[in-house]
Amino acid sequence: MWKQRQGNNCNNPTMAPYTITYFPVRGRCAAMKIMLSDLGQEWKENLVNFEEWMKGDLKGTCVFGQLPKFQDGDLVLFQSNAILRHLARKHGAYGKDDKEAALIDMMNDGVEDLRLKYARLIYQEYETGKSQYLKDLPDHLSKFEAVLAKNKSGFLVGDKISFADYSLFDVLYNHTVLCSTCLDSFPALKSFVEKMSARPKIKALLECEAYKKLPINGNGKQ
Ligand code: 6SG
């Protein structure tokens, strides 16, 4: 049986409607925790360490053999982006109509592309690929910069925050840890990260000890 951590200072999991099961890292759960916090939602957390995971019992019950696992009552979900979308539908972070929802999906897919490049660097090429990665990064960032600079609301799509904003914020935050100056020539991205970090419930999560002590990535690289 894996360890269940009920109560972690970051939120009050008593009666929480949601349960997140994941490794003790921020990784694929950071965006959903940022989103849940900002939306004023509570969750319980089950932390699964490497040894427990390697036993394989839990893995065998996961649809794709991977975590995170997300439970909302009797609904059990895998795939972090499907989880973000489910929460966005439930809590009004998926645009005002179908057109906005389509644009939000498009932006989130763009964020996912960058997230996968980042994950490849962190997990496969950190020692050999970092300088080339940082050379290529402005080209990727400039696309998000253009979208944010055009939309006066400060969000990716429409007038309201959406799950794509939480996801972009998470990926940008990780990149500022990778390279503290990487947003310097992107004023809209810089201001986006500052504003998202300053939203009170996001700020509280980012400053909470239990969250801070989780490494960003599973191999300790950042
Ligand atoms: C890894 O990739 O931490 N899930 C990961 N790995 C374990 O056996 N497309 C989906 C999604 O969006 C991707 C899921 C994701 O939800 S996250 C998973 O389940 C497996 O495949 C990144 C991460 N990796 C660290 C890690 C996991 C197992 C071995 C290394 C944490 C560190 C040590 C044990 C637990 Fe570990």
Side-chain angles (χ1 to χ4, degrees):
M1 194 58 191
W2 49 95
K3 183 171 122 197
Q4 182 150 38
R5 193 178 62 177
Q6 306 246 352
N8 55 18
N9 305 326
C10 301
N11 75 132
N12 171 14
T14 325
M15 309 289 288
Y18 303 125
T19 302
I20 295 173
T21 302
Y22 195 50
F23 309 111
V25 304
R26 295 184 216 173
R28 285 268 176 193
C29 284
M32 78 183 71
K33 288 181 187 172
I34 290 165
M35 177 165 167
L36 284 167
S37 299
D38 197 49
L39 296 170
Q41 298 298 309
E42 312 285 357
W43 68 90
K44 292 196 243 344
E45 247 175 271
N46 291 336
L47 292 180
V48 180
N49 66 34
F50 183 68
E51 263 187 353
E52 287 158 355
W53 180 251
M54 290 313 283
K55 288 180 193 153
D57 312 2
L58 174 59
K59 186 177 174 76
T61 70
C62 300
V63 172
F64 298 103
Q66 290 191 315
L67 296 177
K69 172 182 179 180
F70 187 88
Q71 288 159 280
D72 174 3
D74 60 3
L75 175 68
V76 182
L77 281 178
F78 298 92
Q79 293 293 354
S80 56
N81 287 300
I83 297 163
L84 288 180
R85 288 186 163 90
H86 172 64
L87 290 170
R89 271 182 221 106
K90 270 185 82 165
H91 298 289
Y94 216 141
K96 70 169 172 5
D97 55 23
D98 286 352
K99 280 187 185 170
E100 280 195 6
L103 293 170
I104 290 166
D105 278 341
M106 175 185 81
M107 292 314 303
N108 196 66
D109 284 0
V111 175
E112 175 65 16
D113 285 350
L114 181 55
R115 188 186 290 283
L116 290 172
K117 288 188 180 80
Y118 170 81
R120 193 179 319 126
L121 170 73
I122 294 289
Y123 287 102
Q124 294 168 24
E125 334 180 308
Y126 195 82
E127 282 73 23
T128 51
K130 190 169 169 185
S131 72
Q132 187 60 44
Y133 185 89
L134 292 176
K135 264 186 215 146
D136 297 340
L137 185 60
D139 185 42
H140 304 309
L141 294 180
S142 66
K143 310 299 193 291
F144 295 102
E145 172 75 13
V147 172
L148 279 174
K150 220 169 126 187
N151 196 3
K152 297 293 167 257
S153 71
F155 301 119
L156 285 168
V157 178
D159 298 333
K160 256 187 77 183
I161 199 159
S162 74
F163 71 93
D165 293 300
Y166 297 114
S167 199
L168 177 62
F169 170 63
D170 170 41
V171 166
L172 292 179
Y173 179 93
N174 293 347
H175 279 85
T176 62
V177 175
L178 179 73
C179 169
S180 62
T181 56
C182 73
L183 301 183
D184 284 0
S185 35
F186 300 107
L189 294 183
K190 219 170 172 175
S191 139
F192 175 77
V193 168
E194 278 162 14
K195 283 191 186 144
M196 291 291 284
S197 316
R199 288 169 76 92
K201 292 173 189 156
I202 295 182
K203 189 167 186 281
L205 176 75
L206 298 178
E207 288 174 358
C208 145
E209 288 308 318
Y211 184 81
K212 271 201 298 194
K213 76 170 190 231
L214 297 176
I216 294 178
N217 299 301
N219 61 357
K221 294 178 183 162
Q222 62 179 32

